[in-house]
Amino acid sequence: MMELISIVVPVYQAERFIAETIENVQKQSYENWELLLVDDCSSDESCAVIEKKASADSRIRLIRQDKNQGAAQARNCGIRNASGRYLCFLDSDDLWEPDKLATELAFMREKEAGFVFTGYEFADENGKGLGKIVRVPQEITYSQALKNTTIFTSTVMIDREKIQDEDIYMPEIASEDTATWWHLLKVYGKAYGLNQNLVKYRRSANTLSSNKVEAVRRIWKLYRKQEKLNLVYSAYCMCFWALRAVLRRV
């Protein structure tokens, strides 16, 4: 039985990449999906591009936010509107390998898991792989994830029959996706990693994640404010986090 997979994409000023991202999903070998593109009040032609694609493919749906609220609320809106048993996230400029959905779903069923993720490859602004592939562990727990933020949003798949939507909704904080994965691991125990490169993570020079100083500030704030870790344990986790973050990018 081909269960429906809901794919949630937050969209903001994504005119440059969104057509390619949509076409990339349309090339998936697993065809029973719905693509929920949640526009966060873009002022460019993102919506026009999406509407044109949606007019030719009923699986594609544009949802417009009434006001700009950020990626977390855009993803939460997508979750609320999702109809599928399985839930995936895709950033508006990232790309999937053609068998990503089929391969990851088979892996999830094999593991009887509620939360899985995969390896990925860094790509340039044109979506061309740079040869730097991030390997992921077979399993990861909350304590391990604090020191290794290897779970990349565009690689995640969740079984909504095993994980409640209330636990998937993302908080309105910086690095909301990482905070969500930590929360799921605390509540549900562990996630399973498929050590296979199925995603291209497009890195633009002006993206938030490219700002290393800001990345350090965000993760430190998550430790101290969100997770309420003490100073010593936060510093301990930060050392491992920084080392692994460097190794992922060199």
Side-chain angles (χ1 to χ4, degrees):
M1 178 180 177
M2 291 191 69
E3 294 270 10
L4 179 65
I5 299 176
S6 297
I7 305 161
V8 173
V9 182
V11 177
Y12 183 69
Q13 308 295 68
E15 175 187 0
R16 179 180 174 188
F17 300 118
I18 198 61
E20 183 181 7
T21 301
I22 293 171
E23 290 162 6
N24 183 252
V25 173
Q26 290 176 306
K27 293 175 182 176
Q28 288 294 302
S29 59
Y30 189 95
E31 298 180 342
N32 193 24
W33 49 260
E34 63 174 358
L35 183 60
L36 305 172
L37 298 123
V38 184
D39 181 69
D40 199 29
C41 297
S42 298
S43 60
D44 63 2
E45 294 299 308
S46 294
C47 288
V49 173
I50 294 169
E51 287 174 336
K52 184 177 180 180
K53 295 291 186 182
S55 67
D57 190 334
S58 62
R59 298 173 296 177
I60 299 170
R61 180 179 174 192
L62 171 63
I63 302 171
R64 294 175 183 261
Q65 297 269 71
D66 293 332
K67 59 182 180 180
N68 180 272
Q69 300 179 74
Q73 287 305 316
R75 291 192 183 105
N76 292 345
C77 177
I79 295 168
R80 287 192 295 271
N81 283 274
S83 300
R85 170 177 174 175
Y86 299 101
L87 182 67
C88 288
F89 298 99
L90 177 61
D91 285 348
S92 60
D93 56 350
D94 291 332
L95 300 170
W96 285 344
E97 294 299 319
D99 290 328
K100 190 266 187 187
L101 291 179
T103 302
E104 189 168 27
L105 181 56
F107 175 73
M108 171 169 271
R109 287 172 170 168
E110 174 192 337
K111 294 295 184 180
E112 299 182 343
F115 176 17
V116 300
F117 58 101
T118 78
Y120 60 93
E121 180 181 8
F122 288 107
D124 63 18
E125 293 191 11
N126 297 314
K128 181 180 179 181
L130 299 173
K132 179 56 184 175
I133 298 172
V134 176
R135 307 294 180 184
V136 297
Q138 293 182 347
E139 299 178 3
I140 194 165
T141 63
Y142 170 68
S143 62
Q144 292 167 336
L146 289 174
K147 297 175 285 186
N148 184 9
T149 54
T150 190
I151 301 174
F152 174 45
T153 304
S154 291
T155 76
V156 166
M157 180 179 284
I158 291 171
D159 184 346
R160 298 169 78 197
E161 288 192 0
K162 296 183 177 179
I163 292 182
Q164 299 297 311
D165 283 358
E166 289 74 15
D167 290 316
I168 309 171
Y169 291 134
M170 298 190 177
E172 291 188 69
I173 57 175
S175 296
E176 72 285 344
D177 45 357
T178 296
T180 300
W181 314 146
W182 288 354
H183 173 71
L184 292 181
L185 293 172
K186 279 194 291 186
V187 174
Y188 296 94
K190 62 183 174 182
Y192 291 87
L194 175 59
N195 191 25
Q196 187 172 337
N197 173 26
L198 296 175
V199 178
K200 284 189 172 62
Y201 172 21
R202 197 189 315 245
R203 299 177 69 208
S204 302
N206 60 349
T207 59
L208 184 62
S209 59
S210 68
N211 186 325
K212 305 303 185 297
V213 174
E214 181 60 28
V216 170
R217 289 174 178 163
R218 293 200 317 270
I219 199 73
W220 183 256
K221 189 173 182 179
L222 283 183
Y223 289 147
R224 300 288 285 141
K225 303 295 185 181
Q226 187 71 15
E227 302 305 309
K228 303 186 186 310
L229 305 181
N230 65 48
L231 184 64
V232 173
Y233 190 53
S234 295
Y236 170 76
C237 291
M238 175 67 81
C239 290
F240 283 96
W241 172 85
L243 175 61
R244 289 182 169 119
V246 169
L247 291 177
R248 279 198 296 270
R249 287 165 170 80
V250 296

